[in-house]
Amino acid sequence: MAAYKPVVVQACPKLGERITQDTLYWRGYKTPVQIKEFGAVNKIDFSPVPPYNYAVTASSRIHIYGRYSQEPIKTFSRFRDAAYCATYRDDGRLLAAGSEDGSICLFDVSGKAPLRQFEGHTKPVHLVGFLSDKYRIFSGSDDYSSKLWDIPSATEIISYSEHTDYVRCGCASKVNADVFITGSYDHTVKLFDARTKSSVMTIEHGHPVESVLLFPSGGLLVSAGGRYVKVWDVLKGGQLLVSLKNHHKTVTCLCLNSSGQRLLSGSLDRHVKIYSTTSYKVVHSFNYATSILSLALSPEDETIVVGMTNGVLNVKHRKPEEKNENSQKKRQPAYRTYVKGRSYMPKQEDFCVSKPVKRVLRKYDKLLRSFQSSKALDAVLEPPIMLHTPEVTVAVMQELHRRGTLRSALAGRDEKQVNLLLTFVARRVIEPRFTPVLVIVADMITDIYQPVVGQSAIVDKQFLKLQQAIGKEIDYQEELLEVLGMMDTLFATFTKKRESCLEENKSNGVTEIIETNRNY
């Protein structure tokens, strides 16, 4: 008896992903570490000084994590209700945070109790930050106001009430110690100067503003709200430079890398997009399990931390670069060692020993070998195979049709199995590589289960979907044939014109030759 030959699965070429330097760089991060927090992570902030610990604000607590620690090395929990926006000062010694009750707490990183408590807001404070002079704090609240505070005296310096909705985000200029920016749900971004009593610039974003970011030079401002990330030129009075719409849901957070050449944005669509700040094109993307609320990149770009709505903290560390400069490389065998004996031809007196190759058959091959057609079809209708390798499912159907057992394998199925079959056929019948086989399968299914049409609403719905898919494909083919007919007509017209032009040139050449001969 001849040995069983496994089913030949048709290999189709796949479109390769374009590998760039950015792709290689951002893939150089290790498998993420997952840390579970007590609530949604609304803010992540890295300390600007080594060892670059980071503060995570979630629920009513602020956890301080070391770069490689999976447990908090310090916790601030002196909040009566939810805490928001814990932010480090530039020297990494102080930490400021807002709260649900409208107060602002200032902590010493080495202590536990608040050093200062600022009272003045009447509603939750979602925005807290330090000005670059290190002695003043700015804040934004749901009471529509923005305030400036003096740290040594714990008093309010000035209050601005120009926004008409919640103030949820902001940042301070690193160039000018008096300038800070706030973003609000009233769709505006306002630039304030502590030396004036009102805002000096207003930018209309067009959507509720979730995050703002100022470039280190202070000349460019980035705002995020809705599905848009917009870049503005502050030095030109807030002129819009570029509007990016690469997310499918609301953009919630922004971040810059240490060099300022890459801009990162996180969104509720579970993606982090990385843009080049020269072309503003997406150079890489990360995909996460749930919606993203906060994002931070360490000062040396060594760690990416992402906070999500389900309270999970996702931490990725960069793989250390291997340094083999000092280590001596082991000497590799010469090329002739590998090709030695390849061209040797056995002589007549030689005895050739061939090593038997053990074949491992797939589950569907084993069932086909034992002539269990129906079970073989069931094996390739499992969701992982249908979704990721549909060519295997189609190859088994083709083999059953070749054997003449496809009809018997399709018959005798219950409602759930028929629904699965029709779903697969309706989805894949329009793909040219599967169409010849799946048209036969669809024809057989229709013929077998026609008497029971109308008895199951689920099966009837799948038959309608199959009909719609085939109808749309026929319409597309008819339109393509019309386009091909138009193109053939155009090409034929161009060909006739070209032939007539060539004939004219030839005739002109002949008459010219005759005229020159007459002159002679």
Side-chain angles (χ1 to χ4, degrees), residues 3 29 106 109 136 157 172 181 190 209 418:
Y29 285 86
L106 182 68
V109 174
R136 287 178 293 176
I157 299 172
I181 294 167
K190 291 185 180 289
V209 183
V418 173

PDB file of all heavy atoms in Angstrom, residues 3 29 106 109 136 157 172 181 190 209 418:
ATOM      1  N   ALA A   3       2.265   5.032   0.641  1.00  0.00           N
ATOM      2  CA  ALA A   3       2.239   5.888   1.831  1.00  0.00           C
ATOM      3  C   ALA A   3       1.277   7.053   1.610  1.00  0.00           C
ATOM      4  O   ALA A   3       1.088   7.519   0.486  1.00  0.00           O
ATOM      5  CB  ALA A   3       3.636   6.397   2.132  1.00  0.00           C
ATOM      6  N   TYR A  29      12.305  46.888  22.836  1.00  0.00           N
ATOM      7  CA  TYR A  29      11.851  46.864  24.222  1.00  0.00           C
ATOM      8  C   TYR A  29      11.420  45.452  24.595  1.00  0.00           C
ATOM      9  O   TYR A  29      10.852  44.718  23.781  1.00  0.00           O
ATOM     10  CB  TYR A  29      10.693  47.842  24.424  1.00  0.00           C
ATOM     11  CG  TYR A  29      11.135  49.291  24.447  1.00  0.00           C
ATOM     12  CD1 TYR A  29      11.267  50.018  23.271  1.00  0.00           C
ATOM     13  CD2 TYR A  29      11.438  49.920  25.636  1.00  0.00           C
ATOM     14  CE1 TYR A  29      11.683  51.339  23.279  1.00  0.00           C
ATOM     15  CE2 TYR A  29      11.856  51.245  25.668  1.00  0.00           C
ATOM     16  CZ  TYR A  29      11.971  51.949  24.478  1.00  0.00           C
ATOM     17  OH  TYR A  29      12.400  53.250  24.499  1.00  0.00           O
ATOM     18  N   LEU A 106       1.352  69.187  48.621  1.00  0.00           N
ATOM     19  CA  LEU A 106       2.765  69.221  48.235  1.00  0.00           C
ATOM     20  C   LEU A 106       3.521  68.281  49.161  1.00  0.00           C
ATOM     21  O   LEU A 106       3.471  68.423  50.391  1.00  0.00           O
ATOM     22  CB  LEU A 106       3.313  70.639  48.358  1.00  0.00           C
ATOM     23  CG  LEU A 106       4.766  70.849  47.932  1.00  0.00           C
ATOM     24  CD1 LEU A 106       4.916  70.676  46.424  1.00  0.00           C
ATOM     25  CD2 LEU A 106       5.258  72.236  48.347  1.00  0.00           C
ATOM     26  N   VAL A 109       9.554  64.044  48.729  1.00  0.00           N
ATOM     27  CA  VAL A 109       9.696  62.665  48.271  1.00  0.00           C
ATOM     28  C   VAL A 109      10.249  61.766  49.370  1.00  0.00           C
ATOM     29  O   VAL A 109       9.941  60.568  49.431  1.00  0.00           O
ATOM     30  CB  VAL A 109      10.592  62.616  47.005  1.00  0.00           C
ATOM     31  CG1 VAL A 109      10.878  61.196  46.587  1.00  0.00           C
ATOM     32  CG2 VAL A 109       9.917  63.361  45.867  1.00  0.00           C
ATOM     33  N   ARG A 136       6.912  78.213  42.452  1.00  0.00           N
ATOM     34  CA  ARG A 136       5.493  78.480  42.230  1.00  0.00           C
ATOM     35  C   ARG A 136       4.815  77.261  41.604  1.00  0.00           C
ATOM     36  O   ARG A 136       5.436  76.515  40.852  1.00  0.00           O
ATOM     37  CB  ARG A 136       5.309  79.707  41.334  1.00  0.00           C
ATOM     38  CG  ARG A 136       5.620  81.022  42.031  1.00  0.00           C
ATOM     39  CD  ARG A 136       5.479  82.201  41.086  1.00  0.00           C
ATOM     40  NE  ARG A 136       6.503  82.190  40.034  1.00  0.00           N
ATOM     41  CZ  ARG A 136       6.562  83.070  39.041  1.00  0.00           C
ATOM     42  NH1 ARG A 136       5.648  84.027  38.962  1.00  0.00           N
ATOM     43  NH2 ARG A 136       7.527  83.009  38.148  1.00  0.00           N
ATOM     44  N   ILE A 157      -1.371  83.440  44.480  1.00  0.00           N
ATOM     45  CA  ILE A 157      -0.793  84.651  43.880  1.00  0.00           C
ATOM     46  C   ILE A 157      -1.804  85.327  42.974  1.00  0.00           C
ATOM     47  O   ILE A 157      -2.059  86.534  43.086  1.00  0.00           O
ATOM     48  CB  ILE A 157       0.492  84.312  43.091  1.00  0.00           C
ATOM     49  CG1 ILE A 157       1.549  83.703  44.014  1.00  0.00           C
ATOM     50  CG2 ILE A 157       1.037  85.544  42.392  1.00  0.00           C
ATOM     51  CD1 ILE A 157       2.762  83.166  43.286  1.00  0.00           C
ATOM     52  N   ALA A 172       4.034  73.785  31.746  1.00  0.00           N
ATOM     53  CA  ALA A 172       4.783  75.025  31.990  1.00  0.00           C
ATOM     54  C   ALA A 172       5.916  75.148  30.994  1.00  0.00           C
ATOM     55  O   ALA A 172       6.465  74.142  30.519  1.00  0.00           O
ATOM     56  CB  ALA A 172       5.323  75.034  33.410  1.00  0.00           C
ATOM     57  N   ILE A 181       0.567  76.990  30.395  1.00  0.00           N
ATOM     58  CA  ILE A 181      -0.508  76.770  29.417  1.00  0.00           C
ATOM     59  C   ILE A 181      -1.548  75.844  30.032  1.00  0.00           C
ATOM     60  O   ILE A 181      -1.200  74.878  30.735  1.00  0.00           O
ATOM     61  CB  ILE A 181       0.063  76.171  28.118  1.00  0.00           C
ATOM     62  CG1 ILE A 181       0.984  77.196  27.437  1.00  0.00           C
ATOM     63  CG2 ILE A 181      -1.030  75.736  27.162  1.00  0.00           C
ATOM     64  CD1 ILE A 181       1.834  76.615  26.347  1.00  0.00           C
ATOM     65  N   LYS A 190      -5.223  77.980  26.444  1.00  0.00           N
ATOM     66  CA  LYS A 190      -4.867  79.370  26.787  1.00  0.00           C
ATOM     67  C   LYS A 190      -3.452  79.428  27.336  1.00  0.00           C
ATOM     68  O   LYS A 190      -3.039  78.567  28.121  1.00  0.00           O
ATOM     69  CB  LYS A 190      -5.851  79.947  27.804  1.00  0.00           C
ATOM     70  CG  LYS A 190      -7.242  80.180  27.218  1.00  0.00           C
ATOM     71  CD  LYS A 190      -8.166  80.873  28.198  1.00  0.00           C
ATOM     72  CE  LYS A 190      -9.542  81.081  27.583  1.00  0.00           C
ATOM     73  NZ  LYS A 190      -9.556  82.099  26.515  1.00  0.00           N
ATOM     74  N   VAL A 209     -10.171  69.479  25.093  1.00  0.00           N
ATOM     75  CA  VAL A 209      -8.715  69.267  25.127  1.00  0.00           C
ATOM     76  C   VAL A 209      -8.371  68.337  26.295  1.00  0.00           C
ATOM     77  O   VAL A 209      -8.688  68.632  27.453  1.00  0.00           O
ATOM     78  CB  VAL A 209      -7.969  70.613  25.269  1.00  0.00           C
ATOM     79  CG1 VAL A 209      -6.468  70.387  25.232  1.00  0.00           C
ATOM     80  CG2 VAL A 209      -8.391  71.564  24.148  1.00  0.00           C
ATOM     81  N   VAL A 418     -23.784  24.538  10.629  1.00  0.00           N
ATOM     82  CA  VAL A 418     -24.144  25.158   9.342  1.00  0.00           C
ATOM     83  C   VAL A 418     -23.868  26.661   9.391  1.00  0.00           C
ATOM     84  O   VAL A 418     -23.373  27.254   8.423  1.00  0.00           O
ATOM     85  CB  VAL A 418     -25.626  24.877   9.005  1.00  0.00           C
ATOM     86  CG1 VAL A 418     -26.043  25.652   7.756  1.00  0.00           C
ATOM     87  CG2 VAL A 418     -25.850  23.388   8.805  1.00  0.00           C
TER      88      VAL A 418
END
